[in-house]
């Protein structure tokens, strides 16, 4: 199916994008839908982008649902392992 | 009949007269023929959809696939353009209708046109093909596993696209529907509902449903590809368009 469901949030950080160049990312778009490249019918897709730099200023990942859940847990574990005063 | 064809990018007026681009594939020769508007899936105006467009030229039709994401990202790679479109909320229904109308007018203006134009869409484009046939002067429409033509989204689903139930009374072209019985959106129950509603409305339609196939069974570059369903589906599409768009 096309889920049409899209979650968009502002974000702040950097990503390595087209041409191997780092750039500042301002937006994160998250959706569960058909991938462009991954060999799965549906994937959890994340676009980290800076729309002000044009459509190609984007880093895209497509993860299976289980991989996405494992990534969420890993992100949480990494944050939890750091001293709280550094992650607030 | 010739197997020669040519394909290129063209510009055309879409909704509100906006300049958009489209991928035009045409058979060789000057024989009158029908036209097919190919509506791409949500991942965009991509290589696979352009291959489909060329196949319709090989089948003998002038075929045009408008880039529904052109406004958001002119000149961008199809996947980047699709990402921008999605981030901005997707393709609005009224704009889609205008773009398909523009594509149909472009095809009818070609010197080879016999005046008949149909539409076909895949995935989100399947829904949009039905939507177009409710509002645009089309002679035939094909819905390949379009979700949310009927059915109610799951509770809590942040759906931005309504179903088309209230628009079906305006359907003005015969509809061919191709669906996988393992699909969940549209599920067999959704297809049953569409079949029932069109029957009740007296709208001509022809549905084919495939066991062992889920969503996107036509997509040759995806693991969802199902050879038997896709081959039979292409035969059905060919026969349907020959009936309704033939010279």
């Amino acid at each position: 199916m096309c889920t049409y469901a899209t979650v968009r949030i502002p974000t702040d950080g950097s990503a390595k994008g087209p041409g191997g160049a780092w750039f500042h990312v301002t937006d994160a778009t998250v959706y569960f839908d058909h991938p462009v490249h991954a060999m799965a019918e549906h994937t959890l897709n994340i676009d980290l982008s800076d729309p002000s730099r044009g459509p190609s200023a984007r880093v895209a990942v497509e993860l299976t649902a289980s991989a996405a859940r494992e990534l969420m847990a890993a992100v949480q574990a990494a944050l939890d392992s750091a001293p709280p005063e550094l992650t607030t | 009949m010739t197997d020669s064809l040519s394909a290129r990018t063209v510009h055309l007026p879409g909704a509100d007269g906006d300049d958009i681009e489209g991928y035009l594939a045409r058979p060789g020769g000057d024989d009158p023929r029908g036209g097919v508007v190919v509506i791409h899936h949500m991942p965009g105006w991509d290589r696979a959809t352009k291959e489909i467009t060329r196949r319709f030229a090989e089948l003998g039709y002038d075929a045009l696939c408008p880039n529904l994401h052109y406004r958001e990202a002119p000149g961008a790679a199809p996947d980047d353009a699709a990402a921008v479109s999605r981030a901005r909320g997707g393709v609005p229904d009224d704009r889609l209708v205008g773009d398909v109308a523009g594509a149909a007018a472009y095809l009818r203006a070609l010197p080879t046109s016999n005046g008949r134009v149909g539409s076909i869409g895949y995935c989100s484009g399947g829904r949009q093909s039905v939507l177009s046939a409710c509002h645009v002067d089309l002679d035939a429409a094909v819905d390949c596993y379009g979700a949310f033509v009927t059915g109610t989204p799951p509770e809590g689903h942040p759906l931005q696209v309504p179903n088309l139930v209230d628009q079906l009374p305006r359907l003005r072209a015969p509809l061919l529907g191709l669906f996988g019985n393992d699909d969940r959106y549209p599920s067999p129950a959704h297809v049953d509902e569409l079949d029932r509603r069109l029957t009740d409305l007296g709208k001509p339609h022809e549905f084919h449903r495939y066991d062992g196939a889920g969503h996107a069974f036509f997509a040759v570059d995806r693991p969802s590809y199902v050879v038997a369903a896709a081959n039979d589906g292409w035969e059905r599409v060919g026969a349907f368009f020959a009936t309704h768009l033939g010279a």
Side-chain angles (χ1 to χ4, degrees):
Chain A
M1 70 175 290
C2 292
T3 65
Y4 298 97
T6 303
V7 181
R8 186 180 185 192
I9 58 168
T11 193
D12 184 20
S14 289
K16 196 170 182 180
W22 285 87
F23 66 104
H24 179 225
V25 292
T26 60
D27 291 58
T29 308
V30 184
Y31 48 102
F32 189 73
D33 210 333
H34 306 306
V36 171
H37 184 268
M39 285 292 102
E41 186 175 346
H42 297 95
T43 50
L44 188 284
N45 307 315
I46 305 170
D47 293 330
L48 299 172
S49 65
D50 176 0
S52 73
R53 296 166 64 99
S56 67
R58 179 176 75 108
V59 169
V61 294
E62 300 172 332
L63 302 171
T64 63
S66 62
R69 289 193 173 94
E70 290 167 7
L71 179 64
M72 280 198 298
V75 169
Q76 191 65 57
L79 287 170
D80 290 347
S81 71
E85 63 270 23
L86 298 183
T87 58
T88 55
Chain B
M1 188 70 180
T2 172
D3 59 1
S4 298
L5 61 85
S6 61
R8 62 191 175 96
T9 298
V10 299
H11 282 254
L12 64 143
D16 299 323
D18 293 347
D19 172 66
I20 63 171
E21 66 183 357
Y23 187 72
L24 176 68
R26 303 182 66 195
D30 300 323
D31 296 338
R33 78 281 301 243
V36 176
V37 180
V38 179
I39 304 174
H40 64 69
H41 55 175
M42 196 178 279
W45 195 60
D46 58 6
R47 175 180 288 149
T49 309
K50 291 173 182 173
E51 286 180 0
I52 288 169
T53 307
R54 290 195 296 273
R55 182 158 177 167
F56 281 110
E58 190 269 337
L59 289 171
Y61 301 95
D62 291 323
L64 178 58
C65 179
N67 181 355
L68 305 177
H69 301 153
Y70 180 72
R71 296 171 183 80
E72 284 81 11
D79 59 333
D80 289 338
V84 173
S85 174
R86 175 180 283 276
R88 295 186 185 177
V91 176
D93 278 353
D94 54 349
R95 196 180 87 181
L96 177 281
V97 168
D99 285 356
V100 171
Y106 186 101
L107 288 166
R108 286 196 173 102
L110 292 173
T112 47
S113 174
N114 67 7
R116 289 188 277 279
V117 172
S119 67
I120 186 169
Y122 303 82
C123 197
S124 57
R127 175 185 173 280
Q128 291 167 329
S129 184
V130 178
L131 173 69
S132 299
C134 294
H135 300 278
V136 180
D137 181 17
L138 295 172
D139 299 285
V142 183
D143 168 12
C144 300
Y145 36 79
F148 303 123
V149 177
T150 62
T152 304
E155 193 171 342
H157 189 78
L159 181 71
Q160 298 177 355
V161 177
N163 71 38
L164 302 178
V165 167
D166 64 339
Q167 302 188 52
L168 293 177
R170 301 178 63 173
L171 186 69
R172 52 200 289 184
L175 179 70
L176 173 66
L178 302 170
F179 308 99
N181 285 331
D182 295 340
D183 203 341
R184 284 175 288 178
Y185 294 92
S187 68
H190 294 147
V191 178
D192 288 343
E193 180 186 344
L194 180 58
D195 188 14
R196 186 174 63 251
R197 287 185 182 279
L198 293 177
T199 299
D200 290 347
L201 290 165
K203 302 293 186 183
H205 62 288
E206 172 187 337
F207 287 1
H208 300 279
R209 304 160 72 153
Y210 299 99
D211 289 331
H215 199 74
F217 59 77
F218 275 112
V220 297
D221 58 345
R222 293 169 183 267
S224 56
Y225 181 48
V226 178
V227 176
N231 284 358
D232 187 78
W234 272 111
E235 293 291 329
R236 302 294 184 179
V237 171
F240 183 73
F241 279 163
T243 298
H244 297 288
L245 306 181

